[in-house]
Amino acid sequence: MDLATIFGLVLSFGSLMLSVVMEGGSLRTLVNLPAALIVFGGSFGAALVSLPLGVSLKSIVVFRHVLFSKPQDPVATIRLLGDLARVARREGVLALEGELLRIDDPFLRRGIQLVVDGTDPEVTGSILETELEALAERHQMGARFFMTMGGLAPTLGVTGTVMGLVNMLGKLNEPSTMGPAIASAFLATLYGVGSANLIFLPAATKLKVRSSQEQFVRRMTLLGIEGLQAGDSPIVLAERLKAFLSPKDRSAADEAEESVGSGVGESVGAEA
């Protein structure tokens, strides 16, 4: 679970609710089902018009990545690739086939399988590059859905407010109902602006960040696979991959290398 996302949602919504209570208001006054239906139902329907059905439905599932996705650890990936390089150096490339079941990352597993199968290095690189491009496109479409929702929700909120005011103006002969009707009408705007800026747009940004992090690690993984196929030594391979890391992460990678022996054993499965 992504603690930053959970904490951010609790803090943002909690701040809004607390401000209402501090001003002497009641949280019940913020509940309005017709306004919620206009904003959320209308925004989702308009998003379905804007994007293909498959993209929209998959994006709903993708939202779990905002809450539960955990970025890959580049240091652990370097350590794993170093272990695989030791196996390849000691027992040959074909011995890497025995390590496939211990590798959780499907991208790395696919790359190692291509290496074991004796695929030409250029073909291996081309296949994995294509997979990276497809991954980036899928992630972009997922983020686009929430960006679309974030753009539509405030507009639908204003639409709901106008509808509420029109409804209220039709009852001018009942002055006692005007106050509650006006308040209810403006809740649609609150729902639209609030959901866009607290849920939809932040979710789109988080998905973009997650995509960048995953592509970064997979770019590094691709370089490591190319090094394995070229027969680089574990030390050379690790040093090439450390160029991707910040100084702090490089220190962590150096410490990890010092604690690793020459075999892969249980450490490969644990770090994968």
Side-chain angles (χ1 to χ4, degrees):
M1 180 175 292
D2 183 31
L3 294 180
T5 300
I6 301 300
F7 179 74
L9 288 173
V10 172
L11 179 61
S12 57
F13 279 98
S15 298
L16 292 179
M17 301 300 103
L18 182 60
S19 67
V20 172
V21 174
M22 291 176 65
E23 291 179 354
S26 172
L27 295 181
R28 292 182 179 179
T29 61
L30 298 180
V31 178
N32 188 286
L33 293 181
L37 181 61
I38 292 173
V39 172
F40 297 108
S43 297
F44 184 71
L48 290 177
V49 176
S50 304
L51 300 170
L53 178 62
V55 172
S56 299
L57 296 180
K58 289 180 181 178
S59 297
I60 299 174
V61 179
V62 166
F63 186 72
R64 73 178 187 274
H65 293 302
V66 177
L67 298 175
F68 302 107
S69 179
K70 185 177 181 180
Q72 290 178 281
D73 183 359
V75 175
T77 301
I78 291 177
R79 180 176 177 180
L80 173 58
L81 287 165
D83 290 338
L84 295 173
R86 292 183 185 93
V87 173
R89 174 58 65 91
R90 186 174 61 248
E91 304 175 29
V93 173
L94 293 179
L96 294 176
E97 187 170 13
E99 307 299 327
L100 289 174
L101 295 178
R102 300 180 180 181
I103 301 174
D104 293 331
D105 181 10
F107 182 80
L108 176 56
R109 187 166 57 247
R110 180 172 174 78
I112 296 300
Q113 184 64 68
L114 291 171
V115 173
V116 171
D117 291 341
T119 308
D120 183 86
E122 291 187 4
V123 176
T124 299
S126 176
I127 292 174
L128 296 179
E129 284 283 356
T130 301
E131 188 168 329
L132 277 174
E133 293 175 3
L135 172 73
E137 180 62 24
R138 290 195 301 271
H139 287 178
Q140 183 180 8
M141 292 300 289
R144 190 175 300 168
F145 173 82
F146 290 102
M147 289 292 293
T148 301
M149 291 283 286
L152 293 169
T155 303
L156 267 296
V158 173
T159 301
T161 296
V162 172
M163 291 173 61
L165 292 177
V166 169
N167 199 19
M168 180 270 299
L169 291 174
K171 300 179 181 179
L172 289 179
N173 58 338
E174 302 177 16
S176 61
T177 64
M178 291 181 61
I182 293 175
S184 178
F186 277 101
L187 280 178
T189 298
L190 175 63
Y191 286 175
V193 175
S195 62
N197 290 281
L198 298 181
I199 300 176
F200 299 134
L201 296 180
T205 302
K206 178 60 71 74
L207 287 174
K208 290 179 180 179
V209 171
R210 286 278 187 264
S211 178
S212 297
Q213 291 174 330
E214 186 170 350
Q215 290 181 61
F216 171 80
V217 174
R218 292 198 171 185
R219 284 285 176 191
M220 185 181 69
T221 301
L222 175 57
L223 181 63
I225 292 170
E226 292 174 346
L228 281 172
Q229 202 161 20
D232 289 349
S233 70
I235 295 177
V236 171
L237 181 65
E239 291 301 320
R240 290 179 64 188
L241 298 182
K242 287 177 188 176
F244 284 82
L245 304 179
S246 65
K248 180 179 179 180
D249 287 337
R250 288 183 192 180
S251 299
D254 290 336
E255 293 175 1
E257 284 182 1
E258 293 175 358
S259 64
V260 176
S262 59
V264 308
E266 296 178 355
S267 63
V268 175
E271 294 299 327

